[in-house]
Amino acid sequence: MGLTLPAIALVFALCLDSFVASFAFGAQQIRIPPLPAMMISAVCAATLGVSLLIGSLLRPFLPPGLCPAAGFSILLLLGVTRLLDSGIKNLIRRSQSGSARLQFHFMSFQCILRIYADNTAADSDHSQSLSCLEAAPLALALSADSLAAGFGAGIAETGSAAVMTALSFLAGLLLVGLGAVAGRAVAKRTDLNLSWLSGAVLILLAVGKLL
């Protein structure tokens, strides 16, 4: 199976996070150089590719009727989570305020959790430029959805893992660049939130698995 419309929609929904994150960096006048941008896109694409491959390898061992149901359940749960994304992030931010504030340790769970709630926290040295070291935990935070969605899509046979991985890398790289440019243009005049859109797309994809 090559590049299908559901496969394109899934990649688009997952790459929206990269656009929103780079928009936030641009609005704060924080640069994302080419190498860190490629690193973010590569980690997200690789996570999607590996999870798609695992899902497709498990598919032959599952009862035929279970595969669409499993794909539906995973994509639906992820879609609902994305719809609730703003509330989850606000809860994390509140838990980090005052004495409960989480310390920033590279590659630790606390670090990734903090970056999930506030992407610009990845610029830990306040240099106004994202380094490869700082891009690593950001990439992990952004690739969390790809892990679950890719597994569900692999089980449900949504599309070719190789093609979707390549598309994810190219789309992610493009959206990181576009997001940074848009963020610099808008500056701090708005707080962009597209989690509802990616959530809606994932829910539609989930429903499509049962049709």
Side-chain angles (χ1 to χ4, degrees):
M1 184 180 293
L3 191 59
T4 63
L5 184 58
I8 295 173
L10 178 63
V11 170
F12 167 75
L14 295 175
C15 287
L16 275 177
D17 275 354
S18 296
F19 177 83
V20 173
S22 59
F23 182 94
F25 279 104
Q28 297 290 336
Q29 303 301 314
I30 300 173
R31 290 180 60 253
I32 305 179
L35 194 56
M38 291 180 66
M39 181 178 181
I40 292 170
S41 300
V43 170
C44 292
T47 302
L48 176 63
V50 170
S51 59
L52 281 166
L53 184 60
I54 293 173
S56 63
L57 289 175
L58 289 177
R59 186 173 60 245
F61 302 99
L62 298 175
L66 181 62
C67 292
F72 164 80
S73 301
I74 293 173
L75 292 175
L76 179 64
L77 180 60
L78 187 57
V80 172
T81 302
R82 297 299 295 149
L83 289 178
L84 301 175
D85 187 67
S86 294
I88 295 173
K89 288 183 177 179
N90 287 335
L91 183 63
I92 294 174
R93 291 190 189 107
R94 285 198 298 270
S95 72
Q96 297 179 50
S97 62
S99 60
R101 184 174 180 82
L102 299 176
Q103 294 183 344
F104 191 104
H105 299 293
F106 175 68
M107 296 300 285
S108 70
F109 176 74
Q110 290 91 341
C111 164
I112 295 172
L113 191 65
R114 182 182 175 192
I115 291 172
Y116 167 75
D118 180 9
N119 297 143
T120 57
D123 183 28
S124 56
D125 60 1
H126 306 292
S127 63
Q128 296 300 107
S129 180
L130 197 68
S131 67
C132 288
L133 189 66
E134 292 169 331
L138 174 63
L140 290 177
L142 293 176
S143 63
D145 287 349
S146 297
L147 188 63
F151 181 73
I155 290 178
E157 201 174 4
T158 299
S160 165
V163 174
M164 290 178 67
T165 300
L167 178 62
S168 175
F169 174 75
L170 294 175
L173 195 58
L174 175 64
L175 289 177
V176 166
L178 290 177
V181 171
R184 286 195 295 270
V186 175
K188 299 181 181 179
R189 287 175 289 180
T190 186
D191 182 18
L192 184 67
N193 180 13
L194 293 178
S195 57
W196 64 269
L197 179 57
S198 61
V201 172
L202 289 170
I203 291 173
L204 287 175
L205 286 172
V207 173
K209 297 302 175 187
L210 298 183
L211 298 179

